[in-house]
């Protein structure tokens, strides 16, 4: 229902909109969670009182002083933009770097741990990037396969083609040792 309402469907007699447990989105372990939370709460809130009179928006939260909640209440997208931009710059997240997420999968957790640690150590030796992980994702097992993720931060001004070759070489060294399943995705 939230997705239907947030995508702009116009229900003419909606007077009250409730956003339950907003803390779940705000505390999601992703650098984009504040931005996405603000966007969804603002969109859903905009559905109340569109035709006849003013609507009411209720946000359930355990932290009403959270800057994102306050920005939604005050309809202050400028402070969200500037706050998130400053934070991303300080901690080197996009658009101030490039991200590559690498996911390793294996049936045996012990083998997965060895392979992911080995791969992360190889990535740490590369000067053009910063390695975060390996870490187990929130859902760490899918279809009898254990998962581990490694996040790579590439400097914005780095030689992208050279760095990609180095990353591929590190992955190939691991693949040569055993049969692993590794996937990569740009974020």
């Amino acid at each position: 229902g939230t997705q239907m309402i947030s995508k702009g469907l116009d229900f003419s007699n909606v007077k009250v909109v409730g956003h339950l447990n907003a803390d779940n989105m705000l505390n999601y372990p992703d650098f984009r969670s504040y931005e996405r939370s603000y966007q969804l709460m603002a969109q859903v809130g905009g559905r109340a009182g569109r035709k006849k009179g003013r609507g009411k928006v209720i946000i359930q939260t355990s932290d009403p002083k959270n800057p994102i909640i306050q920005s939604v209440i005050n309809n202050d997208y400028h402070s969200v933009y500037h706050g998130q931009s400053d934070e991303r710059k300080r901690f080197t997240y996009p658009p101030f770097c490039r991200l590559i997420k690498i996911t390793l999968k294996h049936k045996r957790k012990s083998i997965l741990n060895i392979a992911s640690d080995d791969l992360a150590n190889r990535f740490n030796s590369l000067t053009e990037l910063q390695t975060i992980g390996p870490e187990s994702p929130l859902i760490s097992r899918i279809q009898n396969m254990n998962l581990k993720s490694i996040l790579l931060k590439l400097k914005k001004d780095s030689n992208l083609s050279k760095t990609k070759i180095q990353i591929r070489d590190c992955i190939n060294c691991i693949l040569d040792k055993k049969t692993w399943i590794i996937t990569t995705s740009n974020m």
Side-chain angles (χ1 to χ4, degrees):
T2 303
Q3 291 299 320
M4 286 174 36
I5 292 170
S6 69
K7 295 302 176 197
L9 294 178
D10 191 10
F11 299 104
S12 57
N13 293 324
V14 175
K15 301 282 188 233
V16 178
V17 172
H19 192 94
L20 304 177
N21 204 358
D23 301 318
N24 274 357
M25 285 189 346
L26 288 168
N27 297 322
Y28 191 78
D30 186 313
F31 71 95
R32 298 166 286 214
S33 64
Y34 271 21
E35 174 187 340
R36 289 177 174 171
S37 298
Y38 175 82
Q39 183 180 26
L40 185 60
M41 285 187 269
Q43 285 176 341
V44 171
R47 303 293 131 215
R50 294 176 61 94
K51 298 280 186 209
K52 299 174 187 171
R54 221 171 144 95
K56 187 174 192 174
V57 178
I58 300 167
I59 300 173
Q60 179 191 34
T61 179
S62 60
D63 185 14
K65 301 229 184 286
N66 182 295
I68 296 299
I69 301 287
Q70 290 300 309
S71 294
V72 170
I73 290 169
N74 298 320
N75 195 26
D76 184 10
Y77 61 89
H78 290 290
S79 68
V80 174
Y81 172 78
H82 292 297
Q84 290 303 295
S85 182
D86 291 345
E87 190 167 307
R88 287 182 183 198
K89 188 173 189 175
R90 189 170 1 128
F91 294 106
T92 319
Y93 277 100
F96 304 101
C97 76
R98 299 172 193 262
L99 288 182
I100 297 175
K101 180 181 178 183
I102 297 180
T103 303
L104 293 90
K105 303 175 186 180
H106 200 278
K107 288 184 179 186
R108 291 182 45 206
K109 198 172 197 171
S110 60
I111 293 174
L112 177 66
N113 289 335
I114 292 167
S116 60
D117 288 341
D118 189 4
L119 187 58
N121 288 333
R122 290 175 189 278
F123 289 148
N124 282 329
S125 68
L126 303 178
T127 58
E128 293 294 315
L129 53 86
Q130 177 187 355
T131 306
I132 301 173
E135 297 177 346
S136 295
L138 287 176
I139 300 172
S140 62
R141 189 171 169 90
I142 297 176
Q143 295 178 347
N144 292 325
M145 299 292 271
N146 297 291
L147 306 174
K148 283 274 187 144
S149 296
I150 300 173
L151 189 65
L152 302 176
K153 290 184 182 181
L154 282 70
K155 297 175 184 175
K156 194 71 168 174
D157 59 348
S158 66
N159 182 339
L160 191 56
S161 58
K162 176 186 166 194
T163 306
K164 283 182 174 181
I165 291 168
Q166 291 174 327
I167 291 169
R168 174 52 58 196
D169 289 344
C170 290
I171 291 171
N172 286 337
C173 285
I174 300 297
L175 290 173
D176 288 343
K177 287 185 174 183
K178 295 280 181 185
T179 304
W180 317 106
I181 299 173
I182 300 175
T183 60
T184 62
S185 62
N186 291 324
M187 295 183 75

